[in-house]
Structure formats: structure tokens, C-alpha cells
Amino acid sequence: MENFDVIIVGGGPAGLSAAISAAHAGMKTLVIERGDYPGTKNVMGGILYTKATDMVVPEFWKEAPLERPIIEQRIAMLSGDESILAGYRDPDWAAEPYNAHSILRVKFDRWLAQQAEKAGVMIITETLVEDLLYKNGNVVGVRTGRAEGDLGAKVVIIAEGVNNFLAVKAGLAKSLKPATVAVTVKEIISLPKEKIEDRFCLDEGQGATIELYGDSTAGMMGVGFIYTNKDSISIGVGAILESVVREHWTPNDLLENLKAKPYVKRLLQGGETKEYLAHLIPEGGYTHVPRLHRQGVMVVGDTAMLMNSLNREGSNLAMVSGKIAGEVAAQAIKAGDVSDQAMAVYESRLRDSFVLKDLHHYRHMGKFFEDNPHLLKIYPKMFSKAAKMYLTADGTPKKQRQKEIIQMLFEQRSKGGFIKDLYGAWRALL
Ligand code: FAD
């Protein structure tokens, strides 16, 4: 049986970041990826955050296959054919050190895998890890689907993504439930770059994002998104699986519903669908973060439920958790102690970082929206109606119009209901 210091299961952002940091610390490191190459199986909106990526590959923007630096982030609240818009544009984000870029995972993951190989990591593809190997109850390697496929390791890092089969088998995580994952579909639609820049009011090469709420998910907890790539647009929508099933939607119908909205249709006009992708997003939040370590093993990225959906951050949490796990593995191996206590340094470093701090901060959010399904159904309609009433110049004096708007709002939701919703939102989000 061949032996390694560190074996990482999964060649996504979490696994490859773990591999790079372990290899930099001198570890004999192996990544096992079930896809033909890293990236083939992976889906993301996708916005890649500069700070976290820079921690793994310094100044990555000089050579990574990036689409566009994001200089504007918009929010659209859809109600029927109407939309309310808000946004923030910052031209500084068009230059170093940047804030975020749009990417296509097929290209980016492949490039990140090359960086791992440059750092000395060995990558085996088209290989499924079926189980962990144990000796006296301790993790000592992995079992792959290949003939003579047992491989030894002092530390195994599980970076298998949202489908957490190995983490469940190892007794570290619970199986996914329809209430703790969002089902997401995405299309990549090709468009000439000049058209993209024209439609999104961008200078050459710049990018924008739009997150769409309300009717974009038929009022279910979730979000639609539109991101500009070099010569294509990524459009997608995701909602909690439980509600999608309960409300008899199919993910494809949700996407078609979004694409048909007047505000969206205009942006996509003339485009041609190049790719159609579907994936799950872990949405359990802080209370569903699994056990993160045991003797000789750590869990990172989506497998560890490290996703901050409100801020559309997942790749950065994956990369930071991977980097820390790789460093902790190396430190423990050098010290000759891969006990549970040694692996616990990973968890305490995650707790000190934005990763678990942010998840902890939003720990009530999922339950708040779950307990108040009316929020995403009635508020977009109310705000849209209020905006229409206020902005329609029909000769009604403004003071009278304001009174009518307030009356309309209280017809839809009682004063007590407003206070309850506001208090709940304050607790969940602030
Ligand atoms: P993954 O990227 O899923 O990688 C896991 C890897 O493990 C895969 O390559 C898989 O093939 C491999 N694997 C799994 N099981 C095995 C096995 N048993 N043996 C061998 N290999 C295995 N995040 C953002 O930051 N910005 C965004 O805009 C954004 N948009 C998103 C949009 C969508 C539609 C989705 C689905 C997610 C989005 N995310 C976004 C979240 C982000 O994609 C994830 O948080 C991130 O990819 C997690 O990385 P990971 O390495 O943990 O998992």
C-alpha cells in the first residue's frame, strides 16, 4: 500500500487549497478526484473572492483564468412584471487588489489544480474514494474504487463537497435533509462582449452581478442570480429543496420563470444557451455544521456546511477552511501527533476567522425564514405596489398619496405583524 502524509478527497476549491498549503509545508500530498479532471463536476454562480484566493495563490489574478472583475453589485426585488432595484458600483474594484471576479469553474478549478501540482501535489483523477481506512478506530487512509486502491495517510481531509457521503460514513456528519440544501440550476448563455457591456453599463472588461429576490424564486427561500462573464452570462436560481417539492416546482420551471421576467428577458435577449448545470448548495448554516475533526481526519468546505448564502459566499469559506486544514495537518504530522486534540486546532482557527464567525452571526436566519414563509411572498408585492403608487404622477397630492400607501401597507400586514417581522429580521440578520 502506498503511503502519503496527507490525502485529500475532492479537487474543488477546498480540497485544492488544503493540498497547496500541505505541500508548501513539505508534506507528501495526494488529491483524489472522481471527475475526469478537477472542475468537471463543479458548479458555482460564480463569484470568486480575491482575498481568500490570494491567501492560497498570491497575486493569482495575474495568471488565473478569470472572467471579469466585479465593479457593480445589484439587488432586484421582483414582483410580477415589476422590479425594484438597488446597487453599489465601485470603479476601484476594477483594478488591483480587486474585490471579486466572475469565473467559470471548469477553467478555474483546472488552473488551481495546476498550481497544486506545481507545489508538488500529486492528483489522481477519475477515482472515487469509497471509504476511509481505520486501524484501532483511527483513520489511516482511504479506500478507492480502483484495483489495489487502498492508500495510507497520516491525515485525511474530506473535501467531497455538498454530497457528504464519506463524512456521514465516518460518523462526522448527518445525511443531508431537504430543509438543509438548496437545489440550484444554472445556464451559461453566450452573448457578444459589447452587448454585455452595453446592457450592464460597463466599461470594457468590467463585470456586474445581480441577485434577484421575491418572484425570482416564486417567493420561496432562495435567490436568482445573473453574473457577467467575458462573452457569456451566467443565470441561475436556487431554493430550499423542501419548499420546491412542497410547492410543486421543478428547478427547470423556476429558471424558465425567472428568464421570462421582463427585467431579465431584456438582459438575455439574443443569447444562446451553451451549458445547463444543476447542483445542491448546503444551507444548514451554523447549527448544522458537522463535527469538523477526529483523530487523523478533518472536514472542509461544503462538506462542513461552510456556506454563507446571504452574502453569496461559499468558495472563499471553502478555500480558507482548506488552507487552515492543510496547515494544521502539516503541523500535526511534523509534531508526530495527529490525535483529535491536534486536529482541534483546525476548528479553533476556523472559529477565530470570519468563516465560523459569519455563520454564527447568521445562525437564526434559516429558521427565521422557515418560520415566516410569508416574508418573501408578501413584502416584494407590498414594496412594489408602494413604489408604483408613489412614483405614478396622476395628480394626487403627495401627502394624500403617502397616507394611501400607509393604509395599503397596513391592509396587507397588521402593525403587530410588521413589528414582529422587523424584530425577527433584526435578530436574524443584525
Ligand atoms: P466542491 O466544489 O463541490 O468540490 C468537491 C469535489 O470533490 C468535486 O470536484 C467532486 O467531484 C469531488 N468528490 C466528491 N466526492 C468524491 C469522492 N468520494 N471521491 C473523489 N472525489 C470526490 N460560492 C461563491 O463563493 N460565490 C458564488 O457565486 C457561488 N455561487 C454558487 C452557485 C451555485 C449554483 C452553487 C451550486 C454554488 C455556489 N457557490 C458560490 C458555492 C461554492 O460553489 C461552494 O461553496 C464551493 O464550490 C465549495 O467548494 P468545495 O471544494 O467544498 O466543494
Side-chain angles (χ1 to χ4, degrees):
M1 180 167 82
E2 190 171 356
N3 287 295
F4 292 84
D5 291 321
V6 185
I7 291 183
I8 293 142
V9 184
L16 292 169
S17 303
I20 290 171
S21 67
H24 278 158
M27 298 293 106
K28 186 181 175 193
T29 307
L30 173 71
V31 171
I32 306 175
E33 166 57 45
R34 68 185 166 147
D36 295 349
Y37 55 86
T40 35
K41 299 269 182 191
N42 299 341
V43 183
M44 185 164 121
I47 303 304
L48 180 82
Y49 298 94
T50 307
K51 178 83 184 170
T53 316
D54 190 40
M55 283 166 69
V56 177
V57 182
E59 301 197 334
F60 69 94
W61 56 83
K62 291 191 171 154
E63 49 173 273
L66 306 169
E67 294 296 308
R68 290 172 183 264
I70 301 303
I71 63 122
E72 181 171 301
Q73 307 202 29
R74 292 185 210 164
I75 291 175
M77 179 90 83
L78 304 184
S79 171
D81 284 351
E82 297 150 22
S83 38
I84 299 179
L85 305 171
Y88 176 70
R89 174 178 278 242
D90 191 339
D92 284 353
W93 285 346
E96 286 180 23
Y98 303 103
N99 177 45
H101 285 83
S102 52
I103 57 159
L104 297 170
R105 286 285 298 274
V106 176
K107 292 186 199 167
F108 180 79
D109 287 15
R110 215 168 181 178
W111 174 83
L112 193 59
Q114 284 162 3
Q115 306 315 300
E117 282 173 332
K118 273 192 207 163
V121 175
M122 189 174 158
I123 301 181
I124 307 180
T125 56
E126 297 177 79
T127 304
L128 182 77
V129 174
E130 294 175 345
D131 208 344
L132 304 185
L133 296 177
Y134 299 89
K135 191 173 175 189
N136 305 325
N138 296 331
V139 176
V140 292
V142 299
R143 170 151 299 158
T144 71
R146 291 182 175 231
E148 296 175 19
D150 286 1
L151 296 164
K154 293 174 186 145
V155 173
V156 174
I157 298 176
I158 305 180
E160 60 185 333
V162 61
N163 292 311
N164 59 358
F165 301 113
L166 283 178
V168 171
K169 240 179 177 178
L172 291 159
K174 292 201 174 113
S175 302
L176 296 175
K177 294 195 181 74
T180 57
V181 283
V183 57
T184 318
V185 282
K186 168 184 161 178
E187 267 181 36
I188 299 176
I189 297 179
S190 65
L191 266 183
K193 63 185 187 49
E194 299 75 24
K195 274 212 166 126
I196 295 175
E197 283 151 10
D198 204 31
R199 286 180 192 179
F200 289 81
C201 305
L202 298 165
D203 285 346
E204 195 180 343
Q206 296 178 344
T209 66
I210 311 175
E211 319 294 332
L212 305 111
Y213 297 93
D215 273 359
S216 70
T217 56
M220 293 180 286
M221 187 177 161
V223 65
F225 59 86
I226 298 177
Y227 304 146
T228 55
N229 304 316
K230 272 190 184 134
D231 53 9
S232 66
I233 284 178
S234 294
I235 174 165
V237 62
I240 296 293
L241 179 58
E242 190 179 55
S243 52
V244 173
V245 173
R246 189 179 56 234
E247 303 207 9
H248 306 292
W249 279 90
T250 66
N252 187 54
D253 287 348
L254 267 182
L255 186 56
E256 290 306 318
N257 170 61
L258 176 61
K259 282 163 64 186
K261 295 284 174 199
Y263 175 65
V264 175
K265 205 169 161 182
R266 174 75 186 78
L267 296 172
L268 308 178
Q269 223 162 36
E272 200 182 309
T273 301
K274 278 174 27 180
E275 270 184 70
Y276 183 90
L277 308 134
H279 212 272
L280 295 175
I281 299 184
E283 296 278 355
Y286 185 79
T287 49
H288 288 83
V289 170
R291 190 166 166 188
L292 293 168
H293 56 85
R294 237 175 59 190
Q295 184 277 340
V297 62
M298 284 173 273
V299 183
V300 297
D302 273 10
T303 319
M305 280 269 171
L306 304 180
M307 177 77 207
N308 169 1
S309 297
L310 187 70
N311 298 92
R312 188 226 297 121
E313 293 182 23
S315 61
N316 51 343
L317 279 66
M319 293 178 97
V320 169
S321 65
K323 181 176 161 55
I324 295 175
E327 287 168 359
V328 170
Q331 210 177 358
I333 290 166
K334 283 179 188 167
D337 173 13
V338 296
S339 63
D340 187 26
Q341 211 179 359
M343 300 293 106
V345 175
Y346 163 59
E347 180 167 347
S348 64
R349 283 186 58 188
L350 268 193
R351 285 194 186 282
D352 286 343
S353 75
F354 74 98
V355 175
L356 282 180
K357 280 189 177 156
D358 285 354
L359 292 197
H360 184 261
H361 179 60
Y362 293 133
R363 66 195 178 284
H364 299 302
M365 191 183 72
K367 178 132 180 46
F368 171 61
F369 283 105
E370 195 183 307
D371 292 347
N372 296 282
H374 65 280
L375 290 172
L376 296 168
K377 293 203 190 285
I378 65 165
Y379 280 99
K381 281 195 184 67
M382 269 161 55
F383 292 147
S384 186
K385 203 166 171 188
K388 186 169 189 159
M389 287 169 78
Y390 189 69
L391 298 171
T392 303
D394 61 359
T396 309
K398 295 297 176 224
K399 193 165 181 185
Q400 184 186 332
R401 190 36 47 98
Q402 283 166 4
K403 270 190 190 158
E404 288 168 6
I405 290 173
I406 290 168
Q407 194 182 348
M408 179 276 291
L409 292 176
F410 287 134
E411 274 165 19
Q412 314 271 326
R413 190 95 180 116
S414 66
K415 275 187 195 155
F418 269 119
I419 292 168
K420 191 170 158 273
D421 294 344
L422 263 177
Y423 175 69
W426 174 74
R427 269 198 80 218
L429 305 173
L430 300 176

PDB file of all heavy atoms in Angstrom, residues 408-421:
ATOM      1  N   MET A 408     -52.516  51.156   2.611  1.00  0.00           N
ATOM      2  CA  MET A 408     -52.377  49.929   1.812  1.00  0.00           C
ATOM      3  C   MET A 408     -51.463  48.929   2.529  1.00  0.00           C
ATOM      4  O   MET A 408     -51.753  47.733   2.619  1.00  0.00           O
ATOM      5  CB  MET A 408     -51.805  50.295   0.432  1.00  0.00           C
ATOM      6  CG  MET A 408     -51.561  49.134  -0.521  1.00  0.00           C
ATOM      7  SD  MET A 408     -49.987  48.286  -0.280  1.00  0.00           S
ATOM      8  CE  MET A 408     -48.799  49.505  -0.825  1.00  0.00           C
ATOM      9  N   LEU A 409     -50.356  49.457   3.093  1.00  0.00           N
ATOM     10  CA  LEU A 409     -49.399  48.559   3.761  1.00  0.00           C
ATOM     11  C   LEU A 409     -50.058  47.866   4.956  1.00  0.00           C
ATOM     12  O   LEU A 409     -49.909  46.659   5.137  1.00  0.00           O
ATOM     13  CB  LEU A 409     -48.163  49.348   4.234  1.00  0.00           C
ATOM     14  CG  LEU A 409     -47.256  49.910   3.121  1.00  0.00           C
ATOM     15  CD1 LEU A 409     -46.132  50.752   3.713  1.00  0.00           C
ATOM     16  CD2 LEU A 409     -46.654  48.800   2.274  1.00  0.00           C
ATOM     17  N   PHE A 410     -50.838  48.658   5.742  1.00  0.00           N
ATOM     18  CA  PHE A 410     -51.457  48.056   6.930  1.00  0.00           C
ATOM     19  C   PHE A 410     -52.638  47.158   6.584  1.00  0.00           C
ATOM     20  O   PHE A 410     -53.033  46.328   7.393  1.00  0.00           O
ATOM     21  CB  PHE A 410     -51.841  49.132   7.948  1.00  0.00           C
ATOM     22  CG  PHE A 410     -50.629  49.714   8.646  1.00  0.00           C
ATOM     23  CD1 PHE A 410     -50.467  51.085   8.809  1.00  0.00           C
ATOM     24  CD2 PHE A 410     -49.630  48.868   9.131  1.00  0.00           C
ATOM     25  CE1 PHE A 410     -49.341  51.610   9.441  1.00  0.00           C
ATOM     26  CE2 PHE A 410     -48.492  49.383   9.755  1.00  0.00           C
ATOM     27  CZ  PHE A 410     -48.352  50.750   9.904  1.00  0.00           C
ATOM     28  N   GLU A 411     -53.172  47.300   5.393  1.00  0.00           N
ATOM     29  CA  GLU A 411     -54.207  46.349   4.955  1.00  0.00           C
ATOM     30  C   GLU A 411     -53.584  44.988   4.678  1.00  0.00           C
ATOM     31  O   GLU A 411     -54.178  43.944   4.888  1.00  0.00           O
ATOM     32  CB  GLU A 411     -54.901  46.862   3.681  1.00  0.00           C
ATOM     33  CG  GLU A 411     -56.059  47.810   3.982  1.00  0.00           C
ATOM     34  CD  GLU A 411     -56.494  48.586   2.749  1.00  0.00           C
ATOM     35  OE1 GLU A 411     -56.172  48.158   1.614  1.00  0.00           O
ATOM     36  OE2 GLU A 411     -57.138  49.630   2.929  1.00  0.00           O
ATOM     37  N   GLN A 412     -52.345  45.034   4.182  1.00  0.00           N
ATOM     38  CA  GLN A 412     -51.654  43.773   3.839  1.00  0.00           C
ATOM     39  C   GLN A 412     -51.066  43.090   5.073  1.00  0.00           C
ATOM     40  O   GLN A 412     -50.979  41.881   5.135  1.00  0.00           O
ATOM     41  CB  GLN A 412     -50.495  44.030   2.866  1.00  0.00           C
ATOM     42  CG  GLN A 412     -50.817  44.930   1.712  1.00  0.00           C
ATOM     43  CD  GLN A 412     -51.346  44.150   0.525  1.00  0.00           C
ATOM     44  OE1 GLN A 412     -50.929  43.018   0.302  1.00  0.00           O
ATOM     45  NE2 GLN A 412     -52.284  44.710  -0.200  1.00  0.00           N
ATOM     46  N   ARG A 413     -50.588  43.924   6.024  1.00  0.00           N
ATOM     47  CA  ARG A 413     -49.918  43.376   7.214  1.00  0.00           C
ATOM     48  C   ARG A 413     -50.248  44.285   8.397  1.00  0.00           C
ATOM     49  O   ARG A 413     -50.060  45.511   8.311  1.00  0.00           O
ATOM     50  CB  ARG A 413     -48.403  43.339   6.960  1.00  0.00           C
ATOM     51  CG  ARG A 413     -47.624  42.586   8.007  1.00  0.00           C
ATOM     52  CD  ARG A 413     -47.372  41.146   7.618  1.00  0.00           C
ATOM     53  NE  ARG A 413     -46.604  40.421   8.654  1.00  0.00           N
ATOM     54  CZ  ARG A 413     -47.110  39.398   9.332  1.00  0.00           C
ATOM     55  NH1 ARG A 413     -48.323  38.974   9.129  1.00  0.00           N
ATOM     56  NH2 ARG A 413     -46.355  38.772  10.224  1.00  0.00           N
ATOM     57  N   SER A 414     -50.689  43.690   9.487  1.00  0.00           N
ATOM     58  CA  SER A 414     -51.071  44.496  10.653  1.00  0.00           C
ATOM     59  C   SER A 414     -49.837  45.167  11.276  1.00  0.00           C
ATOM     60  O   SER A 414     -48.707  44.741  11.021  1.00  0.00           O
ATOM     61  CB  SER A 414     -51.713  43.596  11.706  1.00  0.00           C
ATOM     62  OG  SER A 414     -50.718  42.707  12.188  1.00  0.00           O
ATOM     63  N   LYS A 415     -50.095  46.199  12.113  1.00  0.00           N
ATOM     64  CA  LYS A 415     -48.975  46.868  12.791  1.00  0.00           C
ATOM     65  C   LYS A 415     -48.167  45.854  13.601  1.00  0.00           C
ATOM     66  O   LYS A 415     -46.949  45.825  13.588  1.00  0.00           O
ATOM     67  CB  LYS A 415     -49.491  47.964  13.722  1.00  0.00           C
ATOM     68  CG  LYS A 415     -49.715  49.265  13.010  1.00  0.00           C
ATOM     69  CD  LYS A 415     -50.056  50.381  13.979  1.00  0.00           C
ATOM     70  CE  LYS A 415     -50.619  51.538  13.172  1.00  0.00           C
ATOM     71  NZ  LYS A 415     -51.495  52.413  13.896  1.00  0.00           N
ATOM     72  N   GLY A 416     -48.923  44.997  14.322  1.00  0.00           N
ATOM     73  CA  GLY A 416     -48.265  43.959  15.151  1.00  0.00           C
ATOM     74  C   GLY A 416     -47.425  43.036  14.285  1.00  0.00           C
ATOM     75  O   GLY A 416     -46.310  42.663  14.655  1.00  0.00           O
ATOM     76  N   GLY A 417     -47.957  42.703  13.098  1.00  0.00           N
ATOM     77  CA  GLY A 417     -47.227  41.821  12.166  1.00  0.00           C
ATOM     78  C   GLY A 417     -45.933  42.463  11.705  1.00  0.00           C
ATOM     79  O   GLY A 417     -44.884  41.819  11.668  1.00  0.00           O
ATOM     80  N   PHE A 418     -45.997  43.774  11.386  1.00  0.00           N
ATOM     81  CA  PHE A 418     -44.787  44.497  10.966  1.00  0.00           C
ATOM     82  C   PHE A 418     -43.731  44.463  12.060  1.00  0.00           C
ATOM     83  O   PHE A 418     -42.554  44.187  11.813  1.00  0.00           O
ATOM     84  CB  PHE A 418     -45.113  45.964  10.663  1.00  0.00           C
ATOM     85  CG  PHE A 418     -45.478  46.219   9.238  1.00  0.00           C
ATOM     86  CD1 PHE A 418     -46.718  46.721   8.913  1.00  0.00           C
ATOM     87  CD2 PHE A 418     -44.578  45.956   8.221  1.00  0.00           C
ATOM     88  CE1 PHE A 418     -47.067  46.973   7.597  1.00  0.00           C
ATOM     89  CE2 PHE A 418     -44.918  46.194   6.906  1.00  0.00           C
ATOM     90  CZ  PHE A 418     -46.165  46.703   6.587  1.00  0.00           C
ATOM     91  N   ILE A 419     -44.176  44.750  13.289  1.00  0.00           N
ATOM     92  CA  ILE A 419     -43.225  44.811  14.407  1.00  0.00           C
ATOM     93  C   ILE A 419     -42.584  43.437  14.607  1.00  0.00           C
ATOM     94  O   ILE A 419     -41.368  43.311  14.771  1.00  0.00           O
ATOM     95  CB  ILE A 419     -43.927  45.317  15.696  1.00  0.00           C
ATOM     96  CG1 ILE A 419     -44.302  46.784  15.501  1.00  0.00           C
ATOM     97  CG2 ILE A 419     -43.044  45.151  16.929  1.00  0.00           C
ATOM     98  CD1 ILE A 419     -45.229  47.356  16.539  1.00  0.00           C
ATOM     99  N   LYS A 420     -43.424  42.391  14.525  1.00  0.00           N
ATOM    100  CA  LYS A 420     -42.913  41.019  14.709  1.00  0.00           C
ATOM    101  C   LYS A 420     -41.877  40.697  13.615  1.00  0.00           C
ATOM    102  O   LYS A 420     -40.803  40.173  13.889  1.00  0.00           O
ATOM    103  CB  LYS A 420     -44.101  40.054  14.628  1.00  0.00           C
ATOM    104  CG  LYS A 420     -43.794  38.655  15.055  1.00  0.00           C
ATOM    105  CD  LYS A 420     -45.105  37.853  15.175  1.00  0.00           C
ATOM    106  CE  LYS A 420     -44.829  36.379  15.069  1.00  0.00           C
ATOM    107  NZ  LYS A 420     -44.814  35.859  13.719  1.00  0.00           N
ATOM    108  N   ASP A 421     -42.210  41.052  12.365  1.00  0.00           N
ATOM    109  CA  ASP A 421     -41.288  40.761  11.252  1.00  0.00           C
ATOM    110  C   ASP A 421     -39.981  41.536  11.405  1.00  0.00           C
ATOM    111  O   ASP A 421     -38.891  41.000  11.183  1.00  0.00           O
ATOM    112  CB  ASP A 421     -41.937  41.125   9.906  1.00  0.00           C
ATOM    113  CG  ASP A 421     -43.129  40.233   9.599  1.00  0.00           C
ATOM    114  OD1 ASP A 421     -43.262  39.175  10.248  1.00  0.00           O
ATOM    115  OD2 ASP A 421     -43.928  40.602   8.715  1.00  0.00           O
TER     116      ASP A 421
END
